[in-house]
Amino acid sequence: MNKITMRDTFWNRVYGLAKEDKNVIVIAADMGAPSLDKFRVDFANQFINAGIAEQNAMLVATGLAMTGKKCFVYAIAPFITLRCYEQVRNYPAGMDLPITVVGVGAGICYEDSGPTHHSVEDITLFRCLPNMQIFNASDNNMTAKFADMAYQSKHPNYVRLDRIVLPNIYDENYDFSSGLGVLRDVSDINILSTGNTIQTALEVSDFLKNEGISVGVIDAYKIPIDYDVFSKTVQGAKKILTLEEHTLPGGLGSHVCEIVMDLGLNIQVKRVGFDFSKKYCYVYGGREVVHRAYGMDANSIREMIKGMM
Amino acid sequence: MDYSKYEQKAHELRNKILDLTTNAGTGHLTSSLSCVEILTALYYGNILKYDPKNENWPERDYFILSKAQGSPLLYTILADVGYFPESDLKLFAQKDGKLSVHLQNSVPGSEILCGSLGCGYGIAAGLALGFKKNRTANVVYSMLGDGECYEGSIWETATFVAHHRLNNLITIVDRNYACATHFLEDELSIEPFADRWRAFGFDVKEIDGHSFEQIFPILNMTHSHCSSRPLVIIADTIKGKGIPMVENIPLWHSRPIPKEMYDEAKRELNQEEQR
């Protein structure tokens, strides 16, 4: 089990990049991490605290990018995506600049903080932006690679990190270029998920394997999903349950439905995620409790999979 | 000093933006008219360093038009100084044209995509900080509208500019007192405007934005501005300046002069010049 958080994994890697390249700049909107404490001391000229002012942070990153800097703009996920959404839309995305938005707090990992801190619309909002690549991390080895991939990219990126420590799923040398990770062989019935709910998907798949039922698990860690990669990956699949700690409209499940429809694939899709059509989540007591309340826990998913068979 | 050649250029530009907006049937004429003298000084008065033959010249100064509604004026100037053919202006916001009512970074010389207020200024701050980090001498000029200063992000940027002592960024506010629907001071005052900037840590210069006698002495010193306090120039202007029938009438904000009023507008503009 890892002991280091995703954000520390990410910033440790950025530390290495910044050491080699003085054009790497981290702009934090009053957001820290133990690893960033070292960064801001060792590379004072490459660290900017923009204060609790996400709009200006994104605009300053834009100006810096126009002078050749590689900016990582960092805050709690809902703030660095929603407060400055228009700035992200017009500048990193609209002008196609190599700026990386880094949000910690994917989904409801700040569940104790209530809806203001939940990041549950960001996939919908970012996947429709031109040139934007979402990197949604499900383990630390992937997270470290995301730092490299974002650094090498000539386009805008959004790295979406979880707050908690997740067990490693991928090998350190795994090739993350395709965007879809097949974690359990694709079967008739499959779970396609992203981020921390991959853990739920694996738990369900492994449990059902003991009952003689094989359930494929696919990790969509890069969004938008590449259509060709998708169609090759899901060959042979008849049913896909999408699982996301995100609101349903426009999220991962919607994305999968669009691809299946656009490609004319004969695949049945069932979407599982948050229904916030009436109100946001005010359930406390841990993420598991929230998952149970919304039918997203392993038991509920298991029953849904059986119901789809 | 004799500023007559700049006055002549300003008059020529006013005629061109009237023609451009009436021809296109769109574009913010009055927002453009209020800042003609300042942009004339910047582009024709040896203030901005730029090279139309080399739009990406690394040593150039940057003009960031945060109040992008002034694009009919900026585009007219960019064509006039040679960034792109004047014929492109005829297709302003027309089929097969390259120019929109607001700024596009794809247009040589315009630097950024802009149209939503409160954004260009933060980019100007990022540019200025980047040039400081790169130890280059580029100066960034950013023009804001006074109505734009309702946007909270302008003051996020002002905090940032002052803290980082970005004296290579020259902030110019086109204080024309009018928004799209109203006069600022009548419905939501921004006074004491100069004191607000002072309180944020700026050196403030207040000038008549239509007087070259007042514009040039300030702009001439911007390349050697070395105070740790960044400079803001508040230019008192008249929205629609030069065409009395549209001067100081907020509702002309996004309206071009219709074809049936064009001759009268032209007459007014040329009478004003003689006056």
Side-chain angles (χ1 to χ4, degrees):
Chain A
M1 184 69 181
N2 282 314
K3 288 204 172 119
I4 184 168
T5 61
M6 273 187 178
R7 64 180 183 180
D8 282 322
T9 305
F10 187 81
W11 293 123
N12 281 339
R13 184 66 201 121
V14 173
Y15 184 98
L17 297 167
K19 194 174 181 181
E20 299 298 320
D21 183 353
K22 293 299 159 201
N23 283 325
V24 170
I25 306 261
V26 174
I27 304 175
D30 192 37
M31 181 67 182
S35 52
L36 269 186
D37 293 342
K38 182 170 163 54
F39 188 106
R40 71 164 90 194
V41 170
D42 292 355
F43 306 126
N45 200 38
Q46 289 166 267
F47 180 86
I48 297 163
N49 186 349
I52 308 162
E54 296 81 2
Q55 298 176 71
N56 185 59
M58 202 57 68
L59 296 169
V60 164
T62 300
L64 286 168
M66 290 167 68
T67 68
K69 305 299 180 192
K70 280 267 183 182
C71 294
F72 292 83
V73 195
Y74 174 55
I76 293 181
F79 310 145
I80 204 63
T81 55
L82 300 184
R83 176 63 66 97
C84 52
Y85 183 66
E86 190 193 13
Q87 284 79 6
V88 174
R89 171 188 180 270
N90 290 346
Y91 297 106
M95 282 178 60
D96 194 11
L97 295 167
I99 292 170
T100 299
V101 179
V102 184
V104 67
I108 47 135
C109 55
Y110 283 101
E111 58 81 27
D112 53 331
S113 296
T116 57
H117 284 56
H118 298 166
S119 198
V120 290
E121 298 94 352
D122 49 341
I123 290 177
T124 303
L125 293 169
F126 272 56
R127 78 178 178 91
C128 67
L129 296 174
N131 313 303
M132 182 64 72
Q133 182 77 69
I134 304 171
F135 292 105
N136 196 35
S138 54
D139 89 349
N140 279 358
N141 286 334
M142 176 189 276
T143 301
K145 276 280 162 54
F146 282 175
D148 293 328
M149 290 160 85
Y151 170 73
Q152 284 154 8
S153 168
K154 293 184 165 55
H155 308 284
N157 302 292
Y158 170 35
V159 176
R160 190 174 187 264
L161 302 176
D162 212 282
R163 181 194 189 188
I164 61 162
V165 177
L166 291 169
N168 274 338
I169 307 166
Y170 293 93
D171 185 77
E172 269 180 57
N173 301 314
Y174 189 90
D175 176 4
F176 289 102
S177 54
S178 86
L180 288 180
V182 177
L183 299 172
R184 298 291 182 268
D185 289 345
V186 170
S187 175
D188 281 1
I189 191 154
N190 306 278
I191 303 173
L192 188 146
S193 186
T194 187
N196 78 302
T197 45
I198 284 293
Q199 293 297 327
T200 314
L202 290 172
E203 191 185 331
V204 170
S205 177
D206 293 348
F207 184 93
L208 289 175
K209 193 179 174 191
N210 292 331
E211 294 186 5
I213 302 166
S214 69
V215 177
V217 175
I218 305 167
D219 182 3
Y221 54 84
K222 263 171 51 174
I223 299 170
I225 298 168
D226 182 277
Y227 274 42
D228 287 341
V229 171
F230 183 85
S231 71
K232 283 187 189 117
T233 303
V234 302
Q235 254 174 21
K238 294 196 174 88
K239 294 172 184 184
I240 295 176
L241 180 145
T242 62
L243 175 63
E244 59 194 306
E245 213 182 75
H246 190 274
T247 187
L248 284 171
L252 180 68
S254 291
H255 186 23
V256 167
C257 289
E258 291 161 19
I259 302 173
V260 165
M261 199 174 74
D262 290 347
L263 294 178
L265 302 176
N266 188 17
I267 295 175
Q268 181 192 332
V269 181
K270 179 170 180 58
R271 297 181 301 145
V272 180
F274 291 122
D275 175 2
F276 290 150
S277 54
K278 292 288 182 277
K279 82 172 189 184
Y280 278 119
C281 172
Y282 295 91
V283 178
Y284 308 110
R287 225 164 174 180
E288 266 303 307
V289 177
V290 175
H291 285 179
R292 279 199 293 276
Y294 285 87
M296 292 166 56
D297 59 303
N299 285 342
S300 305
I301 301 299
R302 208 168 59 216
E303 293 312 307
M304 273 184 240
I305 291 280
K306 283 183 171 173
M308 285 171 79
M309 291 178 66
Chain B
M1 274 289 289
D2 178 16
Y3 296 107
S4 58
K5 72 170 177 176
Y6 301 112
E7 277 154 11
Q8 208 174 331
K9 179 55 78 177
H11 182 66
E12 176 194 324
L13 290 169
R14 282 199 166 87
N15 270 287
K16 283 184 174 178
I17 55 181
L18 169 60
D19 296 351
L20 173 110
T21 50
T22 294
N23 178 53
T26 186
H28 296 79
L29 171 69
T30 56
S31 304
S32 296
L33 290 172
S34 63
C35 52
V36 168
E37 279 77 13
I38 290 164
L39 267 70
T40 301
L42 283 170
Y43 278 89
Y44 300 90
N46 284 323
I47 307 293
L48 267 185
K49 289 199 289 179
Y50 63 95
D51 180 2
K53 300 281 172 288
N54 182 8
E55 56 172 298
N56 296 318
W57 182 37
E59 289 169 39
R60 73 190 185 279
D61 292 335
Y62 281 63
F63 179 65
I64 301 296
L65 183 61
S66 197
K67 54 159 277 185
Q69 285 70 20
S71 82
L73 170 62
L74 182 58
Y75 284 156
T76 299
I77 292 173
L78 294 175
D80 188 46
V81 300
Y83 276 97
F84 51 83
E86 296 236 8
S87 54
D88 286 354
L89 295 176
K90 293 204 164 43
L91 291 177
F92 177 80
Q94 306 294 303
K95 182 174 175 290
D96 300 327
K98 296 176 188 148
L99 312 173
S100 83
V101 166
H102 298 102
L103 285 188
Q104 281 167 237
N105 54 306
S106 55
V107 177
S110 61
E111 307 287 5
I112 60 165
L113 173 70
C114 200
S116 175
L117 295 170
C119 290
Y121 190 39
I123 297 171
L127 283 164
L129 183 62
F131 295 135
K132 290 228 171 210
K133 287 189 182 295
N134 292 344
R135 299 182 184 279
T136 57
N138 315 63
V139 177
V140 183
Y141 295 83
S142 186
M143 171 165 281
L144 324 180
D146 56 352
E148 182 178 12
C149 294
Y150 283 136
E151 291 283 4
S153 57
I154 291 293
W155 303 101
E156 290 184 9
T157 300
T159 303
F160 189 88
V161 170
H163 177 86
H164 289 277
R165 301 180 173 188
L166 299 179
N167 53 8
N168 56 342
L169 166 60
I170 307 300
T171 308
I172 306 169
V173 184
D174 182 4
R175 179 80 165 114
N176 63 25
Y177 295 88
C179 284
T181 60
H182 66 277
F183 290 108
L184 279 76
E185 295 316 308
D186 290 350
E187 298 196 6
L188 188 62
S189 172
I190 59 170
E191 289 294 345
F193 192 56
D195 285 343
R196 286 190 188 190
W197 288 97
R198 276 185 204 105
F200 272 74
F202 283 70
D203 276 341
V204 180
K205 302 284 182 198
E206 294 176 88
I207 60 168
D208 175 346
H210 299 304
S211 160
F212 288 111
E213 280 172 26
Q214 294 190 33
I215 293 169
F216 271 109
I218 301 293
L219 288 184
N220 278 333
M221 50 150 284
T222 50
H223 263 271
S224 54
H225 180 72
C226 55
S227 158
S228 63
R229 292 168 68 86
L231 175 66
V232 58
I233 300 167
I234 301 175
D236 207 302
T237 62
I238 294 168
K239 194 158 176 173
K241 169 75 176 174
I243 307 177
M245 63 196 267
V246 298
E247 277 183 7
N248 272 327
I249 303 171
L251 287 175
W252 276 103
H253 170 76
S254 55
R255 291 172 60 196
I257 288 184
K259 290 207 161 67
E260 61 273 21
M261 294 167 72
Y262 173 81
D263 288 344
E264 191 189 343
K266 203 81 178 170
R267 201 160 40 242
E268 284 194 355
L269 180 55
N270 292 308
Q271 274 170 5
E272 276 290 293
E273 167 66 4
Q274 283 161 13
R275 196 151 57 84

